[in-house]
Amino acid sequence: MSIAAETAGFGAEGDRARFSVLYADVESYYSARVAKYGATPRGVDWSCQATQDLRFVQLLKLCDFSAPFSLNDIGCGYGALCAYLARRHPQAEIDYLGIDLSRAMISRARAAVSRRRGAASRSARAARAARPIRSRAAS
């Protein structure tokens, strides 16, 4: 066997090819999970909401919520951590970036963020509309 044949698949090109296959496998697996179970903990291989939330509690022990910070969520799935942060730490200033290989997961995450923004916007409009007229005139 020649040296070229023995080393085929090694080096930058071989690594790139192996990673491409791995990424495609991961993307396919999680896209199938979210198609089967939806944007739920089961869709990202957690047994239930409680175990997923426990994971978030443990991960977030590293964060100081008293000051603004950035959070890069690699493998964000359908955006459950982002939703958890909005529920549990609504006062926190967090620059959140979610990244995932699965297009289906990203699509679900974007839809969820859009729904939350819409709900927050409707809630803010309702709160403004609920203020007494004197308060609006005084400000």
Side-chain angles (χ1 to χ4, degrees):
M1 184 181 305
S2 71
I3 292 176
E6 288 178 24
T7 60
F10 291 98
E13 286 303 314
D15 288 346
R16 217 171 280 126
R18 282 192 298 278
F19 278 113
S20 290
V21 170
L22 178 64
Y23 293 158
D25 288 349
V26 170
E27 193 275 336
S28 176
Y29 176 81
Y30 282 103
S31 292
R33 293 291 296 184
V34 78
K36 183 174 182 177
Y37 296 106
T40 67
R42 294 282 312 245
V44 289
D45 281 339
W46 287 97
S47 61
C48 63
Q49 188 70 52
T51 58
Q52 188 179 47
D53 285 354
L54 181 59
R55 173 180 176 252
F56 296 154
V57 166
Q58 295 304 314
L59 286 170
L60 296 173
K61 285 181 178 181
L62 300 170
C63 300
D64 176 6
F65 289 94
S66 67
F69 65 93
S70 295
L71 193 148
N72 295 322
D73 187 3
I74 311 299
C76 67
Y78 62 91
L81 178 57
C82 187
Y84 179 87
L85 288 165
R87 279 191 323 271
R88 296 296 206 138
H89 302 282
Q91 78 295 347
E93 291 182 47
I94 305 167
D95 182 16
Y96 176 91
L97 173 64
I99 300 170
D100 204 283
L101 292 173
S102 169
R103 289 178 181 93
M105 289 288 184
I106 292 296
S107 176
R108 301 288 175 99
R110 284 183 175 149
V113 167
S114 180
R115 282 192 304 274
R116 279 194 305 277
R117 283 185 181 156
S121 177
R122 287 188 299 276
S123 177
R125 283 195 304 270
R128 284 194 301 274
R131 285 189 217 153
I133 292 174
R134 283 189 311 259
S135 294
R136 277 193 269 157
S139 51

